[in-house]
Amino acid sequence: MMALALTIAAQAQVETVDTAQFVAVYDYECRTQNDEAAPVTDRMQVVVQAGRTVTKSMPYSAYPVYDDESEPDVAAGFQEALMHMPTVWTGLPTGQTTVREFIFPHEYEGYEPTPDLAWTLTYDTLTVSGYLCQQATATFRGVEWHVWYTEEIPSSAGPWRLRGLPGLIVKAESEAHTFCLAGLRMEASPITAPEQNPEVHRMKYAKLLKHKNEIYSNREYAKNPSYYVPDLWGSITDMIALNRNGQQLLLANGGHPLLTKAHVYQPLELE
């Protein structure tokens, strides 16, 4: 609870860089295998704040719901940790993309010029979540995407790093991943910058992506998610043990889930 209080206090101090014109909530699925190679489908939600100059995509638990007094869903936080979804700021700073994510035991920040996605537009249409959509395809960093976008919502935004079409991306599919719009909120919420933290490891995004893929793509990862940490217990600065439905959940280093089992990593980017 102390870690949670510190997190809330830090959120109150971060800089506001834009105001959302709307907030889109996506259901995100990842088709993978568990530590015994049995097929599983992981599920979580992704929130996208679309502003005039900055778009912020994040796991649902990272979205500050200012009028919500309920306790954080710890189990949902562990599910998000299985799926490795970062927080992405497109257009912060101008012309750049900034990515933040926690790879135990450290938090990382990657930065790079915002890449253009070479979309091929098609004449195929589909009604998704009540919106008439057109299809587009692109290969982004080694992963082929088929997406449906709607000009009924004039925004170039989309979930995660998918963007750049003449309408909001409503659905996106690759071999292992699916995003689908679950809800749209017309709310002018503040878009906040990454929290200023001197302990965050900042680097070019290509280096961060390589580091992430090398760790999670290792065969050892699913059975022993902390295999790459040479001194696991020595790297833990604080820990909370919770019991949820008979299962013990460990939060460490500021309230981050500490996984004891994981699923086979399905990267959103290969290169």
Side-chain angles (χ1 to χ4, degrees), residues 100 107 109 194-202:
R100 273 277 182 102
E107 188 170 15
E109 179 176 308
E195 175 191 347
Q196 295 300 311
N197 182 348
E199 296 184 359
V200 171
H201 293 230
R202 298 186 74 249

Side-chain angles (χ1 to χ4, degrees), residues 61-140:
S61 66
Y63 179 59
V65 184
Y66 300 100
D67 58 354
D68 188 352
E69 297 181 355
S70 61
E71 292 186 5
D73 188 340
V74 176
F78 272 78
Q79 182 63 31
E80 291 176 354
L82 282 174
M83 300 179 72
H84 313 293
M85 177 58 59
T87 297
V88 180
W89 291 260
T90 302
L92 183 71
T94 302
Q96 302 281 311
T97 290
T98 299
V99 178
R100 273 277 182 102
E101 60 187 305
F102 187 83
I103 303 174
F104 194 87
H106 304 297
E107 188 170 15
Y108 292 84
E109 179 176 308
Y111 53 90
E112 68 174 352
T114 299
D116 291 324
L117 280 75
W119 293 108
T120 299
L121 307 186
T122 77
Y123 294 103
D124 292 341
T125 61
L126 184 69
T127 298
V128 182
S129 300
Y131 297 98
L132 179 62
C133 301
Q134 293 176 261
Q135 189 187 53
T137 62
T139 297
F140 180 55

Side-chain angles (χ1 to χ4, degrees), residues 22 131 149-157 165-170 181 184 186:
F22 64 85
Y131 297 98
Y149 66 95
T150 180
E151 295 185 6
E152 295 178 31
I153 306 173
S155 170
S156 62
L165 285 163
L168 180 71
I169 294 174
V170 177
L181 184 68
L184 196 67
M186 306 310 294

